[in-house]
Amino acid sequence: MEISVVSTRPFTDQKPGTSGLRKQVSSFRRPHYLENFVQSIFDSQPMLRGSELVLGGDGRFFNREAVQIILRMACANEIRKVTVGRGGILSTPAASHLIRTRGAAGGIVLSASHNPGGPGGDFGIKFNVANGGPAPESVTGAIHAASLEVDHYRIARSPHIDIDHVGRRQAGEMEVEVVDPVHDYADLMESLFDFPAMRDLLHSGSFTMRFDAMHAVTGPYAEEILEQRLGAPAGTVMRKEPLADFGGCHPDPNLTHARELGQLMYGRGAPDFGAASDGDGDRNMILGAGFFVSPSDSLAVLAANAHLIPAYRGGLKGVARSMPTSQAIDAVADALGIPCYETPTGWKFFGNLLDDGRITLCGEESFGTSSDHVREKDGLWAVLFWLNLIAVRNQPVATIVREHWQRYGRHYYTRHDYEEIESGRADALMSRLRATFPELPGRRFGSLRVRTADDFSYRDPVDDSVSTGQGLRILFEDGSRIVFRLSGTGTMGATLRVYVERHETRTDQLDEDNQAALAALIEIAGSVADIRNLTGKDAPDVIT
Ligand code: VG1
Ligand code: CO
């Protein structure tokens, strides 16, 4: 097959963020933009030559074109074989699973996750390594460095490659295997959970559920698993057709963006269980009738009940959470006598802990939870875990969570997002705040006293790599915390995230309104960082 070597010039903005390179579609469609980044992956990861690569995405606008370009470039860069999901579709956890089971040297996942799609929306590309997980910082750093030097890329002049029919075909020397994107993943789920018990629950006549696929990638997965294999009635999966623009919505599973599901779950005759996932299928939102389970609580509840699930019956080796995630899971780890690790934001930091057998479960406050079955967060996995739990405990979601609070106390928790702030202003806010930190320890705010204030850094206990500048933390003597970070996934201006947490153990104070219970801390956060003045915003854009 004829190979073209195309001259190009570097783009200076191809530094991967929290989860891959994410830009507006208009950026990705500029001549050479995608090609440069893909060539930078091949140039910086020479072990891909002669190996297998997994390829798929969440089906958003530009997914199909990008798959064709990457296949032709893979061929020109001497990749031996590419395994691609039919239609170019693979959810992030399904891609992780395929990389692992195929023994692939890596994978490319096309997604901007929870960001909106369509011609005016966002697109993204993530590189995953051989363990199935997101590339660690050393690898993303090498890709970025390569992107600053790239002066040509290689692409095969092949005709359109059929990705819509399962089977093997050749593209020059390279093999392309198109696989059913759902099958292997559904089998994996069936191997982890008690499907017969879940089937009985769904057929008991006294239990109903809804899953909102948000017109994103999980539709076909949820339909196969919930409606086909578990026999939930048709209609259990809402918004199940994947659409290139997600029906014009943000595929972000929270009560702001999954409004219809929220109304259903808080309405009369609400289903017993509600859940949603995001664009690429790695996030989850869990709801009971009239009850929202905060993601941090969900992680803690899963850890505390893992012994009831077939895959985790033998116990957990340890757990981990990202730094801004609430300390609810720490309390469970303490009770179980297992280690609990605190990592920076982003799934890539869990990889070493999972590979090294130090942890079994991990999660983030941003609706991400998973275990050592893959190396990505896994939305449907979390939903099935809850369904299995409800089937075994035979209790409503709200009761399971309230009993958890009675035992461990409740970690009131909220995140306030201030979106699309001018980047200079956001940086100024962070640096001014950081400058006040030396004076903060010992300072009183009402009944609260600051214990320490720092800029979080992490030393990976497995490879000793250090990551600095991972979020500003104010820690109070009573265990309350306020954390400030700038998002690494946005594509317009900057997003300030403010995370607020307070532990309550008085058993008659566990059912308060979340925002009200955190009001004093929210007030302190606003004043120490001068949020209103420096962002020009009176209120956060999204509260979760
Ligand atoms: C956000 C979340 C983070 C998550 C990341 C990728 O990052 O806070 O916890 O790992 O998105 O999730 P940031 O830098 O914007 O805060 V996904 O589902 O968008 O791949
Ligand atoms: Co996602």
Side-chain angles (χ1 to χ4, degrees):
M1 183 161 302
E2 222 183 309
I3 305 295
S4 301
V5 177
V6 181
S7 295
T8 186
R9 296 233 307 261
F11 291 91
T12 53
D13 65 346
Q14 298 198 324
K15 185 175 177 9
T18 313
S19 179
L21 182 68
R22 225 170 263 193
K23 300 281 173 200
Q24 288 173 301
V25 166
S26 52
S27 288
F28 266 105
R29 293 174 93 189
R30 281 180 291 170
H32 310 318
Y33 193 86
L34 173 69
E35 291 87 343
N36 271 20
F37 191 73
V38 173
Q39 188 63 49
S40 304
I41 296 175
F42 292 139
D43 288 348
S44 63
Q45 310 302 311
M47 73 293 180
L48 293 175
R49 190 161 304 137
S51 307
E52 179 173 346
L53 186 73
V54 168
L55 174 63
D58 65 9
R60 68 178 59 222
F61 184 83
F62 196 53
N63 192 93
R64 291 180 68 87
E65 292 90 323
V67 165
Q68 291 296 330
I69 291 169
I70 295 168
L71 284 172
R72 287 163 52 210
M73 289 186 67
C75 176
N77 282 277
E78 294 166 33
I79 303 301
R80 181 175 52 81
K81 173 178 179 179
V82 178
T83 297
V84 50
R86 188 182 51 230
I89 296 291
L90 280 177
S91 76
T92 288
S96 182
H97 181 53
L98 263 186
I99 294 168
R100 295 166 66 75
T101 52
R102 299 283 167 136
I108 291 179
V109 182
L110 303 171
S111 172
S113 190
H114 57 288
N115 298 24
D122 291 341
F123 190 76
I125 172 166
K126 311 188 264 189
F127 176 64
N128 282 27
V129 291
N131 75 351
E137 281 191 325
S138 54
V139 173
T140 55
I143 296 171
H144 179 222
S147 78
L148 295 173
E149 308 227 303
V150 67
D151 57 9
H152 67 273
Y153 61 84
R154 299 172 64 79
I155 186 160
R157 286 198 202 155
S158 97
H160 178 89
I161 298 167
D162 174 11
I163 54 167
D164 292 311
H165 300 91
V166 167
R168 295 162 185 260
R169 44 202 65 105
Q170 283 300 127
E173 297 285 292
M174 184 178 85
E175 181 184 345
V176 175
E177 183 179 356
V178 176
V179 297
D180 179 318
V182 174
H183 184 269
D184 288 13
Y185 176 83
D187 282 355
L188 174 65
M189 293 301 114
E190 201 160 349
S191 76
L192 300 173
F193 299 109
D194 187 349
F195 270 38
M198 293 149 84
R199 213 173 283 130
D200 287 349
L201 174 70
L202 287 162
H203 289 157
S204 64
S206 59
F207 178 88
T208 53
M209 76 170 282
R210 286 283 186 292
F211 177 86
D212 185 357
M214 307 190 84
H215 288 310
V217 81
T218 48
Y221 293 85
E223 185 179 16
E224 167 66 16
I225 296 170
L226 295 171
E227 296 186 6
Q228 302 302 323
R229 299 199 185 191
L230 289 170
T236 297
V237 182
M238 306 160 53
R239 299 200 280 173
K240 67 181 173 190
E241 310 77 28
L243 299 176
D245 67 348
F246 309 117
C249 302
H250 282 236
D252 194 358
N254 57 43
L255 289 173
T256 307
H257 296 305
R259 196 175 298 278
E260 196 189 330
L261 177 70
Q263 281 166 357
L264 205 63
M265 296 307 297
Y266 282 89
R268 269 168 183 275
D272 301 282
F273 181 42
S277 189
D278 71 332
D280 60 332
D282 56 1
R283 297 185 177 206
N284 71 90
M285 175 170 68
I286 301 293
L287 301 164
F291 192 91
F292 171 80
V293 184
S294 94
S296 297
D297 277 351
S298 174
L299 175 63
V301 168
L302 299 191
N305 291 279
H307 60 282
L308 301 174
I309 306 298
Y312 311 104
R313 206 154 268 159
L316 305 176
K317 294 173 190 151
V319 293
R321 62 164 170 83
S322 67
M323 181 273 283
T325 303
S326 99
Q327 297 163 91
I329 182 130
D330 302 41
V332 175
D334 236 22
L336 292 173
I338 57 173
C340 177
Y341 297 85
E342 183 178 41
T343 59
T345 295
W347 209 262
K348 53 180 172 262
F349 295 102
F350 294 129
N352 276 348
L353 300 173
L354 291 161
D355 285 351
D356 200 46
R358 292 174 185 242
I359 60 168
T360 311
L361 283 189
C362 47
E364 298 190 275
E365 49 64 42
S366 52
F367 300 85
T369 345
S370 194
S371 83
D372 56 4
H373 67 288
V374 287
R375 292 293 180 274
E376 284 278 5
K377 53 188 188 273
D378 190 343
L380 264 169
W381 168 89
V383 174
L384 294 170
F385 196 132
W386 268 96
L387 193 62
N388 196 156
L389 198 56
I390 296 165
V392 175
R393 288 191 43 167
N394 198 19
Q395 286 173 314
V397 171
T399 309
I400 293 175
V401 177
R402 289 202 173 97
E403 285 191 12
H404 186 92
W405 293 340
Q406 287 292 330
R407 167 141 189 221
Y408 299 98
R410 175 168 177 190
H411 290 79
Y412 283 104
Y413 184 84
T414 191
R415 185 177 104 184
H416 288 195
D417 293 335
Y418 298 83
E419 296 177 341
E420 290 182 36
I421 309 169
E422 197 260 304
S423 295
R425 288 181 117 179
D427 291 338
L429 182 149
M430 293 297 277
S431 54
R432 282 191 204 188
L433 179 61
R434 198 180 292 110
T436 67
F437 275 17
E439 272 80 63
L440 279 185
R443 192 165 146 197
R444 274 190 181 285
F445 293 89
S447 62
L448 293 163
R449 226 165 93 113
V450 176
R451 181 163 62 79
T452 50
D454 66 7
D455 193 343
F456 182 65
S457 62
Y458 176 68
R459 176 182 292 274
D460 183 302
V462 179
D463 67 12
D464 274 334
S465 58
V466 173
S467 305
T468 56
Q470 298 293 330
L472 299 178
R473 315 190 284 181
I474 302 177
L475 311 177
F476 295 88
E477 286 181 345
D478 71 344
S480 299
R481 302 192 306 165
I482 303 172
V483 175
F484 301 85
R485 276 185 70 243
L486 296 183
S487 157
T489 58
T491 58
M492 300 236 280
T495 294
L496 170 69
R497 304 204 195 284
V498 183
Y499 312 79
V500 176
E501 170 182 0
R502 175 170 82 79
H503 191 205
E504 176 61 70
T505 50
R506 290 168 291 181
T507 50
D508 60 340
Q509 304 281 313
L510 300 177
D511 238 327
E512 305 302 305
D513 174 75
N514 197 44
Q515 297 298 316
L518 294 166
L521 283 158
I522 293 169
E523 174 86 37
I524 297 170
S527 74
V528 290
D530 203 6
I531 295 178
R532 195 170 286 198
N533 250 326
L534 295 177
T535 65
K537 288 180 183 256
D538 286 337
D541 297 282
V542 180
I543 295 180
T544 42

